[in-house]
Amino acid sequence: MWKDKLASQMDPDVLIIGGGVIGLSIARELHKTGVDRILLIEKAVCGAEASWAAAGMLGPQAETDDTGAFFDLCSASRDMYPGFSAELAAETGVEIGLDRQGTLYLAFSNEDHQHLLEKYKLQQQAGLDLEYLSREQVIDAEPNISPDVIGGLLFSNDWQVDNRKLCEALIKYAAVNNVEIRENTAALNVLVESGRVKGVETNAGPIQARTVILAAGAWSSVVGLGDGALPFDIKPVRGQILEFTTSVRSFRHVIYTPTGYIVPRADGRVLAGSTTEHAGFVKEVTENARTHLGHVAKEISPLLTDSHVTGSWSGLRPFVADGLPVLGPMPGGEGLIIAAGHYRNGILLAPITGKMIADLVTGESNADNFLPFGVDRFLTRRAGVA
Ligand code: FAD
Ligand code: GLY
């Protein structure tokens, strides 16, 4: 007991800013690799922001438009999910609802069908696992889909997970393994001296640490950085979701279309998303979004009527101008590591981000392993840490 108390008063080896799925996955992976004193600080409550608001799709094939490095990163993280999910269940007793039924990518207009055919061609040429389904085959696979459907693609390897359960499991992992989490503790400024990180100034006073990981989601650019600034901006992009509830599960697959998606949960809930709005840090559900998402859902299935709406929420995606995450060491700020900007794919990218950042902290990898997602890509545009 006294040992635990003493440990929590000692300065951490690694301090993580942000208790979303990214910060929490990093904390777990660091602990698994044997890092001793890990402290995660969270300005409010862990797992209550974008990681809570998300739809939980693990969809590299549906959600990326080409097959470059970002697609490879997403696919590699998706491939980690079966092991990640089984390990978390064994470690915490929490099942994160990994569902491998696959994703149907559907077209309801000729224009969208054209886009679908182009996607099919591109992915087929890249040797990916996908199948074209005619209208009849789509309806066979999903009897509750609108008869207006024109055709679809089946991505058997695009899955879904219950992102709220995932957060619960990661928080529990920290609790059972004495990884310290301090909620209601906001990082104000990363303390930097002569180009080296010394710790973090928080609303509860300074905390010293030689390694600081910035994983504050959409708020990452708000945290001060000595006399300098991050050479990139992370902006909040709001996404809203409308939740329907049907008495039994009415769809097997995640259904994705160029205008929106529905994600069926095992308990009969169906999440319809989403919007992409530059509305600052204002989290609200708007009438416009309700109407729009109602149309998206109805276009996909006439089963999803207004009378089935049981909830709605919004969350802030962390967005960087080029749409890619920012991962790896901060040049000129020794000891500072960035893990932010996961935009639409932070749930998908959580396992690989945890692994990549833990490998960096323990010296298993270096900045080169983070290309093309590293901070370097912004450095010609703005100055780094003072
Ligand atoms: P967050 O979950 O936002 O966590 C950041 C944490 O940092 C917060 O808890 C915050 O309070 C804390 N924090 C901020 N500032 C400070 C500070 N100064 N000090 C201490 N703590 C601080 N991704 C997918 O992969 N699949 C999906 O289907 C999907 N659907 C989505 C649907 C919607 C509507 C939205 C909004 C997002 C969706 N995403 C999806 C994206 C995904 O939710 C995000 O990319 C991911 O949650 C980002 O995780 P994070 O930990 O970086 O951010
Ligand atoms: N990845 C789904 C979304 O961001 O809405």
Side-chain angles (χ1 to χ4, degrees), residues 26-330:
I26 294 169
R28 169 180 175 269
E29 202 59 43
L30 282 171
H31 177 265
K32 284 171 78 72
T33 53
V35 174
D36 255 352
R37 294 190 305 262
I38 304 160
L39 171 62
L40 183 152
I41 60 171
E42 161 55 50
K43 73 174 167 57
V45 175
C46 285
E49 291 292 350
S51 304
W52 176 89
M57 292 178 288
L58 309 176
Q61 284 177 254
E63 291 221 280
T64 54
D65 279 334
D66 60 36
T67 53
F70 181 59
F71 175 79
D72 291 344
L73 185 78
C74 290
S75 302
S77 198
R78 184 268 324 277
D79 292 346
M80 291 170 78
Y81 255 94
F84 185 57
S85 152
E87 281 175 22
L88 277 170
E91 290 158 357
T92 66
V94 179
E95 297 288 346
I96 63 169
L98 177 64
D99 176 328
R100 297 170 67 172
Q101 302 282 346
T103 294
L104 279 178
Y105 188 97
L106 302 183
F108 291 92
S109 69
N110 289 329
E111 195 189 338
D112 285 353
H113 191 244
Q114 201 49 45
H115 169 74
L116 180 152
L117 292 175
E118 282 158 23
K119 202 169 172 77
Y120 178 62
K121 199 167 146 202
L122 182 90
Q123 296 202 4
Q124 220 195 15
Q125 280 166 355
L128 302 181
D129 183 352
L130 80 164
E131 206 183 315
Y132 178 82
L133 302 187
S134 66
R135 176 181 178 277
E136 289 68 30
Q137 287 171 314
V138 170
I139 293 170
D140 247 16
E142 286 289 359
N144 289 319
I145 288 297
S146 161
D148 296 338
V149 67
I150 298 177
L153 302 178
L154 172 61
F155 301 132
S156 299
N157 295 321
D158 274 10
W159 306 325
Q160 63 152 308
V161 70
D162 184 333
N163 41 290
R164 294 180 189 171
K165 285 279 173 200
L166 172 60
C167 291
E168 184 188 326
L170 291 167
I171 292 166
K172 185 142 183 221
Y173 180 91
V176 297
N177 290 291
N178 292 321
V179 173
E180 193 186 356
I181 293 182
R182 279 187 216 162
E183 293 189 325
N184 301 310
T185 305
L188 306 176
N189 201 7
V190 178
L191 302 169
V192 186
E193 258 177 49
S194 312
R196 179 158 232 311
V197 163
K198 294 289 176 196
V200 173
E201 182 67 41
T202 76
N203 60 346
I207 304 171
Q208 305 214 335
R210 284 184 66 78
T211 303
V212 171
I213 300 171
L214 181 61
W219 295 264
S220 297
S221 291
V222 179
V223 179
L225 189 50
D227 297 329
L230 290 175
F232 55 88
D233 279 330
I234 299 211
K235 296 220 159 81
V237 173
R238 185 167 72 199
Q240 304 189 41
I241 287 199
L242 204 54
E243 179 197 73
F244 296 79
T245 301
T246 52
S247 53
V248 290
R249 180 166 177 166
S250 307
F251 308 92
R252 270 185 63 204
H253 305 84
V254 169
I255 314 286
Y256 207 96
T257 79
T259 44
Y261 53 79
I262 61 167
V263 179
R265 298 289 203 226
D267 59 7
R269 286 180 308 129
V270 179
L271 314 185
S274 183
T275 56
T276 47
E277 304 161 80
H278 293 262
F281 288 96
V282 182
K283 270 190 306 174
E284 63 181 6
V285 176
T286 61
E287 260 330 293
N288 276 351
R290 273 180 197 270
T291 309
H292 167 69
L293 295 173
H295 286 145
V296 166
K298 231 170 273 169
E299 181 181 56
I300 294 173
S301 171
L303 206 69
L304 300 172
T305 63
D306 291 350
S307 62
H308 291 107
V309 173
T310 48
S312 56
W313 58 83
S314 74
L316 303 174
R317 305 179 184 91
F319 175 69
V320 178
D322 62 9
L324 299 176
V326 190
L327 304 172
M330 172 74 195

Side-chain angles (χ1 to χ4, degrees), residues 2-12 37 180 182:
W2 65 269
K3 253 180 141 182
D4 284 352
K5 256 196 180 154
L6 191 64
S8 76
Q9 284 160 7
M10 283 157 62
D11 293 329
R37 294 190 305 262
E180 193 186 356
R182 279 187 216 162

